[in-house]
Amino acid sequence: MTNLKMTTQSGDTTIIGQDAVEALAASLRGDLLTPATADYDEERSIWNAMIDKRPGLIVRCAGAADVIRAVNFARENTLLVAVRGIGHNIAGNAVCEGGLMISLSGMKSVRVDPRARTALVEPGVTLGDLDNETQAYGLSTPVGINSTTGIAGLTIGGGFGWLSRKYGLTIDNLISADVVTAAGELVKVREDENEDLFWGIRGGGGNFGVVTSFEFQLHPVGPEVLAGLIVHPFSEAGKVLRYYRQFAAESPDDLTTWVVLRKAPPLPFLPEEVHGTEVVILAALYAGNMAEGEKALAPLRAYGNPIADVIGPHPFTGFQAGFDPLLTPGFRNYWKSHDFLELNDETIDTAIRFTGSLPSPHCEIFIAQMGGATNRVSPDSTAYRHRDTEFIMNVHGRWEDSTEDDRCVSWCRELFTAMTPHATGGVYINFMTGEEQQRVQAAYGDSYGRLVELKNKYDPTNLFRLNQNIKPSI
Ligand SMILES: Cc1cc2nc3c(=O)[nH]c(=O)nc-3n(C[C@H](O)[C@H](O)[C@H](O)COP(=O)(O)OP(=O)(O)OC[C@H]3O[C@@H](n4cnc5c(N)ncnc54)[C@H](O)[C@@H]3O)c2cc1C
């Protein structure tokens, strides 16, 4: 190993001597990867293939002690730092050019206490890993809808999925966490200990430190749930979405229904002539008693003339992974997202108009139904602010070849702009790209000032800057 050229927090180049690198490597229980190491390329690759960055060093941590060593090394050498959970975030901040990447992908322990209905979870765990362990006891907690997503990034941004209308956001089920601060100290955070930091990591992203352990509240779920898809012809989209809006407003908390507008994938239950044509997909999950779920879903299933209705009893873990085939890594992705209080006629018509001009067969518009328990928490009680959001729309641009970049990105931006007058102005930080720094303040609304104070206290030099960044004011 020779001396290394690395990037500092201010973007300059610095030389890290061979001795310092060797001493860091020797201190770790995990691995230190350089561009010459075998696993380097795998570790720096993330879900969004638009992002291709080469860190100077990667610490693949085996535990909290490695995280402390990596944070201290970065701070002492003023290095640019990226923190990777599973690397699913669209913005690509999990990896950096020339700096130090702290990878948590090897920290994969999940310890369930079935009697207390809690789980201790390390930050390299995927949502699928978590479900796998908790469902062994018929338990779960609200997380996202794609099982390969990382629990760490999802939680610190807020986190929502099929169980959220019943049990709240992922952060509403966070009991405590262990955090390594920029000073390299491991602290416990919960309601009665370091409560300011506990407030901040529930929605404030990776701005305040590296979370090395999460403790979640679990709830009885499944193992079978009533769930599935109803697929309608695109020609009926206007009527179906107007009916959906009414149905969603009257749904109990146990029931969550999302809308997906896209070209039909070649699913076995869809007639071949529908494959590759635009459709309206209603995806639903009832998180309670099966018979009551049948009653709650009956009106939606009776509406119109769907092409397919595959609502039925499904293993919960199966439905949690149901969208995985459409969300595999390796594609180029660009997202734009808005929060909504309602789906007014203009919103519905705009979504339909843009679905008529999808720039790639993999692009889609997702509308997640929020409300229920997610909105019964005071906006002040966690850093996730927008507790009045009823729907989150994600314009998901997704394509294979870089020659399609301009066309697909433009489609997303145009749709986003057309929707802006009808949206709240708020946004979920986990759906923001790397170029949306100007939206960070809006993402935190009235909590922004308190977050800046917290940043001043816990990370005054902005060591953790590769995220939807809250800048210190000192
Ligand atoms: C296909 C797809 C589907 C999704 N569906 C949902 C959904 O249904 N619901 C939902 O809520 N979200 C969803 N998301 C968004 C998801 O919550 C974010 O992408 C989340 O950041 C992923 O976490 P990660 O650990 O994999 O990400 P990473 O890219 O590894 O991390 C994201 C950022 O979080 C920070 N970070 C990560 N780990 C830590 C840590 N331990 N301590 C401190 N900071 C850390 C870093 O700043 C990092 O840049 C989805 C994303 C994708 C790509």
Side-chain angles (χ1 to χ4, degrees):
M1 200 183 284
T2 52
N3 292 349
L4 281 180
K5 255 194 207 168
M6 292 190 67
T7 307
T8 66
Q9 286 164 38
S10 57
D12 298 332
T13 299
T14 185
I15 303 293
I16 305 293
Q18 185 178 344
D19 291 353
V21 176
E22 283 173 359
L24 175 62
S27 73
L28 299 173
R29 187 157 67 92
D31 309 305
L32 186 64
L33 312 182
T34 71
T37 318
D39 295 350
Y40 172 83
D41 279 329
E42 194 185 326
E43 203 61 43
R44 75 179 179 89
S45 301
I46 59 171
W47 180 78
N48 184 1
M50 295 275 271
I51 313 290
D52 180 18
K53 292 186 186 157
R54 301 181 65 81
L57 284 172
I58 304 175
V59 176
R60 191 164 56 196
C61 301
D66 283 352
V67 175
I68 293 171
R69 289 174 191 123
V71 166
N72 286 342
F73 187 83
R75 191 190 59 252
E76 284 156 13
N77 292 286
T78 63
L79 295 176
L80 183 66
V81 177
V83 179
R84 175 192 173 128
I86 289 294
H88 240 250
N89 196 284
I90 186 72
N93 285 321
V95 58
C96 57
E97 193 64 52
L100 179 78
M101 177 177 180
I102 302 176
S103 176
L104 309 163
S105 65
M107 294 173 62
K108 290 198 175 297
S109 158
V110 179
R111 233 177 78 211
V112 177
D113 180 341
R115 273 194 292 182
R117 292 186 176 162
T118 58
L120 275 179
V121 181
E122 284 194 315
V125 164
T126 65
L127 309 186
D129 297 334
L130 179 60
D131 279 339
N132 187 294
E133 295 294 331
T134 56
Q135 276 290 282
Y137 311 97
L139 299 171
S140 191
T141 204
V143 291
I145 59 114
N146 171 214
S147 78
T148 56
T149 306
I151 190 69
L154 177 127
T155 303
I156 58 181
F160 64 88
W162 299 116
L163 303 180
S164 292
R165 286 171 44 74
K166 183 165 185 175
Y167 294 121
L169 298 177
T170 309
I171 48 169
D172 301 334
N173 294 277
L174 186 67
I175 299 168
S176 72
D178 294 345
V179 184
V180 175
T181 64
E185 285 163 5
L186 182 74
V187 296
K188 170 74 77 190
V189 300
R190 57 185 173 208
E191 282 297 354
D192 57 0
E193 194 172 348
N194 296 306
E195 50 273 28
D196 57 350
L197 191 51
F198 185 49
W199 175 85
I201 63 154
R202 286 177 292 164
N207 273 288
F208 307 108
V210 183
V211 182
T212 56
S213 179
F214 298 89
E215 183 189 6
F216 291 110
Q217 184 67 59
L218 306 176
H219 310 272
V221 176
E224 279 209 322
V225 288
L226 187 68
L229 309 181
I230 304 171
V231 183
H232 283 274
F234 188 58
S235 55
E236 297 298 304
K239 284 187 224 152
V240 171
L241 293 181
R242 282 170 174 80
Y243 178 77
Y244 163 77
R245 156 174 86 187
Q246 186 62 29
F247 179 81
E250 292 164 2
S251 289
D253 291 353
D254 280 16
L255 180 58
T256 299
T257 312
W258 290 23
V259 176
V260 188
L261 298 166
R262 59 167 293 133
K263 289 188 197 274
L267 294 166
F269 55 82
L270 291 176
E272 238 173 74
E273 63 271 19
V274 172
H275 298 174
T277 68
E278 294 85 2
V279 285
V280 181
I281 301 172
L282 302 176
L285 182 140
Y286 191 86
N289 173 280
M290 203 75 77
E292 283 167 21
E294 292 282 6
K295 266 192 236 155
L297 272 159
L300 189 67
R301 301 180 72 183
Y303 182 80
N305 294 301
I307 304 167
D309 173 347
V310 287
I311 302 269
H314 289 287
F316 176 67
T317 49
F319 198 67
Q320 288 276 83
F323 283 95
D324 288 3
L326 297 179
L327 300 168
T328 49
F331 278 70
R332 302 175 79 77
N333 295 272
Y334 181 83
W335 291 4
K336 278 296 207 183
S337 184
H338 275 307
D339 287 358
F340 292 94
L341 299 182
E342 57 163 6
L343 298 178
N344 63 22
D345 285 347
E346 291 85 350
T347 308
I348 289 175
D349 294 342
T350 305
I352 294 170
R353 182 156 57 85
F354 277 84
T355 306
S357 61
L358 292 164
S360 124
H362 309 288
C363 291
E364 60 192 9
I365 303 170
F366 247 90
I367 301 172
Q369 185 191 1
M370 303 296 288
T374 67
N375 288 358
R376 284 195 291 271
V377 172
S378 142
D380 291 331
S381 64
T382 66
Y384 178 97
R385 185 79 205 175
H386 303 296
R387 297 292 189 162
D388 54 356
T389 301
E390 292 294 335
F391 299 95
I392 293 182
M393 183 194 67
N394 194 22
V395 181
H396 183 176
R398 182 173 164 87
W399 62 100
E400 286 178 273
D401 196 294
S402 59
T403 57
E404 299 172 85
D405 285 5
D406 286 349
R407 193 160 48 91
C408 293
V409 169
S410 299
W411 177 81
C412 295
R413 287 184 180 153
E414 283 163 26
L415 171 46
F416 172 81
T417 304
M419 288 289 192
T420 302
H422 313 293
T424 63
V427 58
Y428 176 41
I429 62 152
N430 274 344
F431 285 177
M432 286 162 66
T433 62
E435 56 178 35
E436 295 192 298
Q437 186 62 39
Q438 80 289 354
R439 293 184 84 194
V440 171
Q441 200 158 341
Y444 289 113
D446 290 345
S447 293
Y448 191 73
R450 187 170 165 191
L451 285 161
V452 173
E453 290 296 310
L454 203 61
K455 186 76 175 175
N456 290 346
K457 177 173 172 188
Y458 285 101
D459 186 17
T461 66
N462 207 6
L463 181 68
F464 302 114
R465 67 181 60 204
L466 289 182
N467 40 49
Q468 300 303 346
N469 196 227
I470 296 157
K471 292 191 174 43
S473 63
I474 49 176

